[in-house]
Amino acid sequence: MKAIVNKELCEGCSICVDVCPDVYELDDNDQAYVKVDPIPDDIEAECRDAADQCPTQAIEIEEA
Ligand code: SF4
C-alpha cells in the first residue's frame, strides 16, 4: 500500500500527523508528506484512518 499527499489540497492542519506520525510529517512549508513507501503492514490501518480524517481529502491511498 502507498499513500500520496496532494499538495494542492493540503492545508497543513496536521491531523494526519497526529493520527499517524509514523507515516506523515509536515515539511517546512507546513504541508504534509509521506515518509515511508511502501506503508508497513502494521500501520496500514492508522495510515488509512489519517486519510479518512483529512478535511480536504488530500491523501490518496493506492493499494499494492
Ligand atoms: Fe494536509 Fe490533510 Fe494532513 Fe491536514 S490532514 S495536514 S490537510 S494532508
Side-chain angles (χ1 to χ4, degrees):
M1 181 183 128
K2 184 184 173 86
I4 302 142
V5 173
N6 181 339
K7 295 207 179 260
E8 287 180 19
L9 294 177
C10 176
E11 292 179 340
C13 69
S14 91
I15 288 174
C16 57
V17 182
D18 292 341
V19 173
C20 187
D22 290 334
V23 170
Y24 304 98
E25 200 160 88
L26 290 189
D27 66 16
D28 292 342
N29 297 316
D30 275 348
Q31 288 208 302
Y33 67 96
V34 173
K35 55 184 179 179
V36 283
D37 178 22
I39 308 298
D41 289 352
D42 60 337
I43 51 174
E44 276 193 3
E46 241 179 46
C47 178
R48 281 181 214 279
D49 198 21
D52 287 344
Q53 291 192 47
C54 172
T56 62
Q57 295 168 343
I59 302 171
E60 189 187 330
I61 300 292
E62 267 182 16
E63 305 300 337

